[in-house]
Amino acid sequence: MKAVQQDIDERTNLTSTNKFELLLFRLGTDSALGKSELFGINVFKIREIVAMPSITPIAGTTQYSLGVVNLRGQVIPVLDLPAIVGCKPQTGLNIMLVTEYARTTQAFAVESVEDIVRLDWKQVLSAETSGAAGKLVTSIARLDGNTDESRLAQVLDVEAILQMVSPSDGHEVTEEKVGAKLVLKPGTIILAADDSFVARSLIEQELKVLKAPYEMVKSGKEAWDRLNAIAKSAEAEGKSVLDRVAMVLTDLEMPEMDGFTLTRNIKQDARFHGLPVVIHSSLSGSANEDHVRSVGADGYVAKFVAEDLAETIRRVLPKP
């Protein structure tokens, strides 16, 4: 038990070093080249890895649903991940990944699990900026560092996958849900960072309904670079960052720089004193929420509940 706790502590402490662990798995051969590629999901999203149990099919479900399993007293939906991605398993659906996402639990069937690797977020590039954009992939991980021979793994966008499987999941953003428009200090914006296309779309919908000026970027590094540019511009005009940015809204899992590092950088820099930071993430659970507090974030919201996000933004925004 002591060794297990030590392993958990080590894994959790990675959040202070811009590092994370990626679970690598295979889904079978792809339809284009007939090759079996590596895919990855952040270990923090994985609750359990089990050999494929008996699945109970459910009448009237989507084409990607295999049914449900009864696991440790909980009935969990199981999704056919190879079918979603467009791969064909050669040896069958042998492993089930039980995941926790935005306080929901679901399982993904995969062909095989390969490894858990510890990476720096600098080894992970945005799929969009690297020209490898796909609807279900947020980023490309260079497993062996920045070398031409490095193995590559596609980091799956769980948000996009679940949105694809269950498009009518109550994520619609309306004024009835989020309330009246936000009142920001004149001339300021909300700077938002998220690497998921689906998450960015939902955030933008909400900020538009709230009639809040905003700027959207795709990674923590982009947000940090943008903040520094804004600070330099404001200083040249004899103003501060708070005259330009009302708050920062950031995801946690992002290529190049994660949300923990971004938040820590902001909170430790005197130029950004008083700038609120809200973390908006699918990484739920008490351990992650404890780390959110440890880096000094002003709020934490689990994706994606429009009402909770609006309420948290209102709470942390400086009074105009």
Side-chain angles (χ1 to χ4, degrees):
M1 179 61 72
K2 190 173 182 180
V4 171
Q5 185 59 51
Q6 182 179 359
D7 186 49
I8 293 171
D9 291 342
E10 286 180 4
R11 201 161 271 163
T12 306
N13 288 335
L14 291 176
T15 58
S16 63
T17 60
N18 202 44
K19 290 181 170 62
F20 73 110
E21 288 188 329
L22 190 68
L23 176 73
L24 300 176
F25 52 90
R26 294 187 189 274
L27 301 175
T29 57
D30 64 79
S31 57
L33 299 176
K35 295 172 60 180
S36 178
E37 301 293 344
L38 284 170
F39 294 86
I41 292 179
N42 193 326
V43 168
F44 270 132
K45 280 195 171 85
I46 306 295
R47 194 182 82 182
E48 199 169 354
I49 303 171
V50 298
M52 186 61 67
S54 175
I55 298 176
T56 301
I58 299 297
T61 54
T62 69
Q63 60 178 318
Y64 302 119
S65 172
L66 294 171
V68 297
V69 295
N70 183 26
L71 187 66
R72 310 195 200 294
Q74 185 178 8
V75 175
I76 300 171
V78 184
L79 301 174
D80 186 344
L81 194 52
I84 292 170
V85 172
C87 292
K88 186 176 181 180
Q90 298 303 296
T91 63
L93 297 172
N94 305 308
I95 303 293
M96 188 175 77
L97 308 179
V98 182
T99 66
E100 288 187 348
Y101 164 86
R103 296 183 176 139
T104 67
T105 302
Q106 54 281 311
F108 293 104
V110 303
E111 183 174 42
S112 65
V113 168
E114 297 292 305
D115 200 1
I116 292 177
V117 293
R118 186 167 293 187
L119 303 174
D120 192 297
W121 277 110
K122 292 178 182 177
Q123 292 175 244
V124 183
L125 299 179
S126 165
E128 292 183 47
T129 56
S130 63
K135 291 182 178 179
L136 303 180
V137 175
T138 61
S139 48
I140 306 295
R142 298 170 293 182
L143 303 179
D144 307 307
N146 188 17
T147 67
D148 291 345
E149 294 77 25
S150 177
R151 295 168 298 154
L152 301 178
Q154 302 173 58
V155 181
L156 292 176
D157 187 341
V158 180
E159 293 156 7
I161 289 171
L162 294 181
Q163 179 73 5
M164 172 183 170
V165 173
S166 304
S168 299
D169 55 5
H171 284 172
E172 298 83 2
V173 181
T174 63
E175 190 174 332
E176 289 72 28
K177 280 187 177 183
V178 301
K181 73 174 185 178
L182 295 175
V183 181
L184 275 61
K185 181 179 178 180
T188 62
I189 62 166
I190 292 176
L191 180 62
D194 202 298
D195 66 332
S196 166
F197 172 79
V198 169
R200 290 199 304 273
S201 175
L202 290 169
I203 292 167
E204 289 187 2
Q205 285 180 43
E206 177 147 350
L207 294 178
K208 285 176 180 176
V209 171
L210 289 169
K211 295 180 172 55
Y214 68 89
E215 186 174 328
M216 182 72 69
V217 296
K218 301 180 183 70
S219 74
K221 184 177 184 302
E222 282 188 50
W224 179 241
D225 290 345
R226 185 70 186 114
L227 271 178
N228 279 280
I230 292 172
K232 186 176 180 180
S233 174
E235 184 181 4
E237 298 174 11
K239 298 180 181 294
S240 76
V241 171
L242 297 182
D243 295 313
R244 296 286 181 264
V245 182
M247 64 164 283
V248 174
L249 178 66
T250 178
D251 187 20
L252 285 181
E253 301 175 279
M254 292 183 291
E256 298 187 275
M257 180 187 291
D258 66 10
F260 288 117
T261 303
L262 172 63
T263 303
R264 190 180 302 108
N265 286 352
I266 292 171
K267 292 301 181 180
Q268 291 177 354
D269 194 316
R271 295 173 300 164
F272 306 126
H273 178 72
L275 179 63
V277 179
V278 170
I279 289 177
H280 183 228
S281 175
S282 59
L283 288 179
S284 52
S286 58
N288 286 303
E289 294 182 26
D290 286 344
H291 277 279
V292 165
R293 285 188 285 272
S294 75
V295 296
D298 300 274
Y300 173 89
V301 186
K303 291 179 179 175
F304 178 81
V305 183
E307 301 93 324
D308 291 351
L309 180 57
E311 179 185 348
T312 303
I313 291 174
R314 280 195 174 87
R315 178 175 59 80
V316 306
L317 273 178
K319 302 301 179 189

